Amino acid sequence: PVAETFRVIQGAMSEEYVRTTQGVFQFELSGDEGGTWYIDLKTKGGSAGSGKPPVTADVVMSMSSGDFVKMFT
């Protein structure tokens, strides 16, 4: 569910979101598919996926993977 959620987020990226948001979000998830994930809405084109963001995160959130999926669905 976490990887699929990030695939959906990546597919929804647009220059408009990047231009208006200008933030990088890092998620420290526990549980199934836990680990470090990110959404970069600051770098041209934006990106999302597993691992550390390509630039320093503006916000770091820690939560369970279940709560993350609930938050984005």
Side-chain angles (χ1 to χ4, degrees):
V2 172
E4 178 59 26
T5 301
F6 275 96
R7 277 192 289 278
V8 170
I9 292 168
Q10 179 66 46
M13 289 284 167
S14 73
E15 283 299 327
E16 177 67 16
Y17 288 142
V18 172
R19 186 178 60 74
T20 59
T21 305
Q22 287 296 295
V24 178
F25 305 90
Q26 180 174 321
F27 301 89
E28 297 297 336
L29 303 181
S30 60
D32 292 342
E33 295 184 89
T36 302
W37 296 79
Y38 72 92
I39 301 172
D40 176 359
L41 292 171
K42 191 179 254 184
T43 305
K44 183 170 176 60
S47 63
S50 64
K52 296 242 182 222
V55 296
T56 303
D58 297 300
V59 176
V60 178
M61 293 181 246
S62 298
M63 65 187 75
S64 72
S65 57
D67 285 345
F68 171 83
V69 172
K70 287 177 190 173
M71 183 171 81
F72 279 90
T73 55

